[in-house]
Amino acid sequence: MSQLSSIPAEQPFCQVEYDAHNKWLRATWRGFINPQHALQSIVSSLGVLSNPVVTLFLNDNSQVLNPWFDSLTWLRYAWDSTHTTPPACVAHVMQPGGNANVSDLDTSWTRSIGTELQLFESVDDAEDWLRGCHQ
């Protein structure tokens, strides 16, 4: 994996990196995420997110400790902020136990911009689905 950008080590709540082998961008969220952390992550990641060649995105919440954190809101704001074409496919890995809150996710914006979004409970399943998006 070749890392393009990450949050400073003293604030390890989100790491954004480009996976050159699989040709997708991955955001990995860790720990307790509050709105300030999410905003700092957006600002720190804008350079990577504005890369126009990114067509696949893996948004991994599997290591989030909050009772609820909607990183899809972060993702929507991040792409709106970069003024670039959003990815064609987004695999969103729910945080553990998050499947009870699927109805709370605002996924309508992905359909309106032509992005296919799938929700997953495991990173492996999300990665398998993204590999299929290449075809």
Side-chain angles (χ1 to χ4, degrees):
M1 223 177 260
S2 72
Q3 183 174 324
L4 295 180
S5 175
S6 67
I7 305 307
E10 66 271 16
Q11 301 171 348
F13 33 82
C14 182
Q15 182 173 7
V16 177
E17 55 195 358
Y18 181 71
D19 182 333
H21 175 75
N22 289 303
K23 298 183 177 121
W24 63 55
L25 198 60
R26 176 189 304 250
T28 304
W29 298 87
R30 292 181 180 91
F32 184 87
I33 312 297
N34 65 39
Q36 181 181 2
H37 292 156
L39 180 60
Q40 288 171 338
S41 298
I42 292 167
V43 171
S44 297
S45 304
L46 285 178
V48 178
L49 295 171
S50 64
N51 183 341
V53 299
V54 173
T55 60
L56 305 175
F57 189 81
L58 176 58
N59 194 43
D60 179 6
N61 287 341
S62 64
Q63 300 173 59
V64 172
L65 301 177
N66 299 41
W68 178 244
F69 169 63
D70 182 8
S71 63
L72 287 178
T73 300
W74 171 89
L75 192 61
R76 178 181 185 177
Y77 182 80
W79 255 281
D80 286 349
S81 298
T82 62
H83 305 293
T84 59
T85 305
C89 296
V90 174
H92 180 74
V93 181
M94 303 290 290
Q95 62 198 88
N99 58 349
N101 299 311
V102 170
S103 62
D104 293 339
L105 292 172
D106 176 13
T107 59
S108 61
W109 64 274
T110 60
R111 289 186 298 278
S112 69
I113 59 173
T115 295
E116 183 176 357
L117 170 71
Q118 291 289 321
L119 305 176
F120 298 92
E121 292 184 11
S122 82
V123 174
D124 289 340
D125 290 344
E127 290 174 342
D128 288 344
W129 179 76
L130 279 178
R131 285 185 192 100
C133 287
H134 277 298
Q135 301 167 7

